[in-house]
């Protein structure tokens, strides 16, 4: 850590919804994280960044219980998910939404059918109620009227938004995004950032986002952590606007000055 914890731009309250304590993570002999600790507060847009291969996606997968840590604690919405327990994991997954890089819409289903999937799997709602919620969710991401379109009939940005509508189907307390703007042109990427920001401020949903995009980080992030492969953990944490001016770790300084990350 370079001690750059400061900055007070965040309006988010400080009630932790994710607590990671002394987490270690390994794949065989490959130690990815040695001793990682941080918290994400309710209502925050929290960005995970770092060079290629430093473990951003791995960390996201720990936070949704897809991977088990080798040591330490991962508590999400008050539930300790570090030790495998299917019932607990199901409880956590009901309360989180995920938007992975590819959007992962099922190509043979319409947008409405895609968004309906989690509602059918996790709730006892009637078809009529599900239809209503699906319409509302698609409208929230500016896709009203596209209910009956197939994913192949819409643009990349619209696919991401449809994926977001599906991720929000169950009104999750936390939304996880893995490089949401990957593959989008700059204007569409900014539109997606604005949507994420508006949904965060309008609905109060906590958002954890992996991204490399500097503009995006400054536009949406309340706080960031920067991971580093050599350090096997966090080398910077805090408000990106503060870190930009005050960080001393050369890797952090380089990132904010758009120099290539070498680790
Ligand atoms: N399921 C897995 N089995 C074995 N090794 C894995 C697995 N998942 C990730 N790793 C390893 O963990 C390390 C971190 O990978 P990860 O994909 O989390 O990095 P990243 O920071 O998201 O990279 P990028 O920015 O390139 O997507 C890599 O060395 C990768 O090979």
């Amino acid at each position: 850590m370079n001690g750059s914890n400061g900055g007070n731009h965040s309006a988010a309250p400080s009630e932790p919804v994710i607590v990671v304590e002394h987490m270690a993570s390994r794949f065989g002999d490959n130690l990815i994280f040695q001793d990682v600790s941080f918290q994400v507060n309710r209502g925050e847009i929290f960005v995970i960044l770092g060079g290629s291969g430093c473990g951003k996606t791995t960390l996201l997968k720990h936070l949704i219980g897809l991977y088990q840590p080798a040591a330490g604690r991962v508590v999400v919405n008050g539930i300790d998910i570090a030790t495998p327990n299917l019932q607990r994991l199901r409880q956590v997954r009901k309360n989180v939404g995920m938007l992975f890089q590819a959007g992962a819409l099922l190509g043979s289903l319409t947008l409405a059918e895609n968004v309906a999937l989690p509602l059918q799997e996790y709730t006892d709602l009637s078809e009529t109620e599900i239809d209503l919620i699906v319409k509302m969710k698609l409208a929230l991401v500016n896709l009203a009227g596209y209910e009956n379109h197939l994913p192949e009939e819409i643009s990349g940005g619209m696919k991401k938004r449809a994926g977001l509508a599906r991720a929000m189907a169950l009104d999750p307390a936390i939304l996880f995004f893995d490089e949401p703007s990957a593959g989008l042109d700059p204007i569409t990427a900014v539109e997606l950032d604005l949507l994420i920001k508006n949904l965060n401020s309008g609905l109060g949903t906590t958002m954890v986002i992996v991204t490399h995009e500097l503009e995006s980080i400054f536009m949406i992030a309340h706080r960031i952590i920067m991971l580093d492969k050599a350090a096997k953990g966090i080398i910077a944490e805090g408000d990106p606007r503060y870190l930009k001016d005050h960080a001393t770790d050369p890797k952090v300084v380089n990132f904010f000055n758009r120099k290539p990350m070498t680790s």
Side-chain angles (χ1 to χ4, degrees):
M1 294 281 295
N2 68 356
S4 302
N5 265 321
N8 206 15
H9 300 268
S10 170
S14 53
E15 177 199 349
V17 284
I18 296 174
V19 179
V20 175
E21 281 177 348
H22 305 298
M23 189 188 76
S25 172
R26 61 165 68 246
F27 299 103
D29 289 341
N30 189 7
L31 182 66
I32 313 295
F33 299 126
Q34 197 150 29
D35 183 5
V36 165
S37 299
F38 63 91
Q39 297 190 347
V40 179
N41 298 319
R42 190 174 301 284
E44 216 170 26
I45 299 184
F46 186 85
V47 166
I48 300 169
L49 55 92
S52 186
C54 69
K56 300 179 296 295
T57 301
T58 299
L59 179 56
L60 216 51
K61 288 183 175 172
H62 277 293
L63 299 182
I64 58 177
L66 278 180
Y67 289 162
Q68 303 304 318
R73 275 191 353 134
V74 179
V75 181
V76 178
N77 276 326
I79 300 170
D80 188 340
I81 59 167
T83 41
N85 174 320
L86 281 181
Q87 203 185 343
R88 259 182 293 169
L89 272 184
R90 194 174 156 81
Q91 210 180 331
V92 167
R93 294 214 182 122
K94 238 182 115 169
N95 271 305
V96 305
M98 288 160 265
L99 185 64
F100 284 109
Q101 277 182 34
L105 294 172
L106 294 179
S108 58
L109 301 183
T110 65
L111 301 193
E113 288 165 345
N114 266 286
V115 178
L117 283 175
L119 294 157
Q120 288 158 346
E121 186 182 342
Y122 284 103
T123 73
D124 297 323
L125 295 169
S126 69
E127 280 306 307
T128 317
E129 287 165 325
I130 289 179
D131 283 351
L132 197 67
I133 295 171
V134 165
K135 273 212 166 82
M136 279 165 43
K137 298 299 172 188
L138 283 169
L140 260 182
V141 298
N142 306 322
L143 283 174
Y146 287 90
E147 288 79 5
N148 297 319
H149 282 61
L150 288 168
E152 67 188 18
E153 296 168 341
I154 60 174
S155 71
M158 292 162 90
K159 281 194 193 103
K160 297 270 173 150
R161 285 190 271 134
L164 182 52
R166 191 177 65 187
M168 294 194 311
L170 296 166
D171 294 324
I174 311 171
L175 272 171
F176 293 94
F177 301 78
D178 196 356
E179 301 199 29
S181 48
L184 297 182
D185 65 77
I187 293 173
T188 310
V190 169
E191 284 169 1
L192 188 65
D193 280 343
L194 283 173
L195 179 63
I196 287 172
K197 205 176 158 153
N198 286 340
L199 290 171
N200 168 261
S201 58
L203 304 174
T205 312
T206 306
M207 296 178 169
V208 179
I209 304 177
V210 170
T211 181
H212 298 286
E213 306 296 330
L214 207 50
E215 285 84 1
S216 177
I217 291 162
F218 285 123
M219 187 192 284
I220 64 177
H222 292 116
R223 279 194 310 131
I224 61 118
I225 51 172
M226 186 180 289
L227 302 176
D228 181 70
K229 199 171 175 176
K232 301 189 187 308
I234 298 171
I235 55 167
E237 176 173 5
D239 184 320
R241 289 147 289 258
Y242 180 88
L243 289 170
K244 180 176 185 294
D245 296 331
H246 296 88
T248 51
D249 183 311
K251 287 176 183 167
V252 184
V253 173
N254 283 351
F255 175 77
F256 283 111
N257 288 292
R258 295 175 184 278
K259 296 199 179 136
M261 287 195 255
T262 49
S263 80

